[in-house]
Amino acid sequence: MQGQEICSMLPSRLAAIVRRYDSDWENVQEIRIRQGRRMTLRYRGELHIPQGQQSDVTAMECKEILSQISQHSLYAFEEEIRRGYMTLPCGHRIGVAGRAVMEQGQVRTLRQITCLNIRISHEKRGCADWLMPYLLHGKQLYSALLVSPPGGGKTTLLRDIVRNVSARFNVSLIDERSEIAGCYQGIPQRDVGPNCDVLDGCPKAVGMEMALRSLGPDVIAVDEIGLKEDDRAMHKALVSGCSLLATMHGEDLSPIREKGLFHRYILLDGSRKPGSVTGIYNQRGQQIWG
């Protein structure tokens, strides 16, 4: 079963409902579990309440899920919980919500966790193979920005581009939320290719500078850029001769006006099947495919 790793941490009642979607698992994007309410899914891009739920999610079921996720030791995940999520092997990310415990104006941890958002990580080897002629120019890799709405498949596509690229370049992957390589105990659980060094759980701007200082990358890959600190680090990487691979939330090509760093812009359509590319554009915004 494709979703077995998810079902193994759910109470049997909820796991039985999720198993019904096994034949179309690639279109299950999120599973939301809220104490006192019905379980919901983001399925084929839309919120969906599965049929057959006889009762709301109970406090005991929430505790059981948290216990399975943390391997019976929530304390070991204290730092991740402070940031609002936990990452499972294979890159599945669990967003959590509850009562924030504050310390000197900062969130120290979360208690009474009653909401969980399981974001499903889908690995699709080969989904980026057809893109490579548009990203490679002889021995040079064009810097590329993938743009899509949330859930549009940009992380999945970025992972497979990294897999392709690291067959011929040294890649430093800054995997801040452990969603791309899906590291477990420091070892990537997803296929990111033979020449990829992963800085797991590291903030993007910090990781890019660390990679430039010590890893000698030809390519730096990051997910979901947006902060000014990210821009500064990316400029520094380009000046150092690295190519960049990055993703960004967006509905259209307006990021081109803001991010003049890239030679290729790949636009994905979140309203269709995740990972659907609708256009490839050059640095001047001219469409070269689609």
Side-chain angles (χ1 to χ4, degrees):
M1 175 182 172
Q2 295 184 76
Q4 182 56 40
E5 58 213 2
I6 297 296
C7 289
S8 66
M9 69 182 187
L10 296 177
S12 57
R13 178 178 74 92
L14 301 180
I17 295 170
V18 171
R19 287 193 183 97
R20 299 175 193 165
Y21 296 83
D22 180 55
S23 62
D24 198 22
W25 185 249
E26 67 175 22
N27 287 306
V28 179
Q29 297 162 279
E30 296 178 345
I31 301 171
R32 291 183 178 266
I33 295 169
R34 301 176 175 101
Q35 183 178 318
R37 284 166 283 179
R38 295 294 200 264
M39 177 177 67
T40 62
L41 275 65
R42 184 171 293 277
Y43 175 65
R44 293 182 175 269
E46 297 183 355
L47 291 179
H48 175 71
I49 301 176
Q51 298 296 314
Q53 298 187 61
Q54 301 300 316
S55 60
D56 295 335
V57 175
T58 67
M60 186 61 68
E61 286 173 325
C62 280
K63 289 179 180 178
E64 181 180 338
I65 295 168
L66 286 168
S67 180
Q68 290 293 331
I69 292 170
S70 64
Q71 298 177 358
H72 312 288
S73 177
L74 270 180
Y75 179 77
F77 286 81
E78 193 82 359
E79 178 60 26
E80 288 188 87
I81 291 172
R82 184 184 67 80
R83 297 192 301 241
Y85 63 88
M86 295 181 285
T87 304
L88 300 178
C90 297
H92 304 302
R93 191 177 72 182
I94 318 296
V96 295
R99 183 175 63 85
V101 178
M102 307 298 293
E103 186 176 273
Q104 297 180 348
Q106 302 290 323
V107 176
R108 182 169 65 82
T109 190
L110 294 174
R111 298 283 186 246
Q112 298 169 3
I113 295 172
T114 57
C115 300
L116 301 106
N117 176 26
I118 305 171
R119 292 189 60 179
I120 310 300
S121 172
H122 293 288
E123 183 175 37
K124 298 181 180 179
R125 286 189 184 91
C127 67
D129 290 357
W130 71 275
L131 280 171
M132 300 317 296
Y134 297 95
L135 300 181
L136 292 167
H137 181 65
K139 294 184 179 180
Q140 176 188 1
L141 176 73
Y142 289 126
S143 292
L145 178 65
L146 283 62
V147 181
S148 88
K154 55 188 177 296
T155 300
T156 300
L157 194 59
L158 175 64
R159 180 190 301 117
D160 204 55
I161 292 174
V162 168
R163 180 188 65 83
N164 270 281
V165 166
S166 73
R168 63 185 81 184
F169 300 101
N170 285 318
V171 180
S172 289
L173 172 59
I174 318 304
D175 198 1
E176 183 170 2
R177 291 176 298 187
S178 305
E179 287 188 294
I180 306 173
C183 284
Y184 183 67
Q185 296 182 346
I187 305 299
Q189 305 298 299
R190 298 300 195 186
D191 185 0
V192 289
N195 297 303
C196 183
D197 304 307
V198 182
L199 281 167
D200 183 51
C202 184
K204 289 182 281 291
V206 174
M208 282 187 268
E209 296 210 10
M210 288 174 63
L212 288 171
R213 281 198 303 266
S214 60
L215 294 175
D218 303 309
V219 180
I220 291 179
V222 296
D223 201 14
E224 297 190 9
I225 60 172
L227 299 177
K228 290 182 179 179
E229 291 82 356
D230 299 341
D231 282 353
R232 286 195 290 268
M234 288 189 295
H235 275 288
K236 189 170 182 179
L238 288 173
V239 170
S240 301
C242 286
S243 297
L244 291 171
L245 297 171
T247 71
M248 184 177 184
H249 287 317
E251 302 283 346
D252 51 37
L253 292 178
S254 58
I256 287 181
R257 293 192 292 272
E258 303 169 6
K259 311 285 180 189
L261 306 175
F262 300 92
H263 295 93
R264 293 288 182 266
Y265 294 85
I266 301 172
L267 183 63
L268 291 80
D269 182 3
S271 67
R272 298 193 293 177
K273 185 177 180 179
S276 298
V277 175
T278 58
I280 303 174
Y281 302 80
N282 64 19
Q283 195 169 22
R284 296 183 298 277
Q286 298 169 325
Q287 192 166 4
I288 59 176
W289 181 89

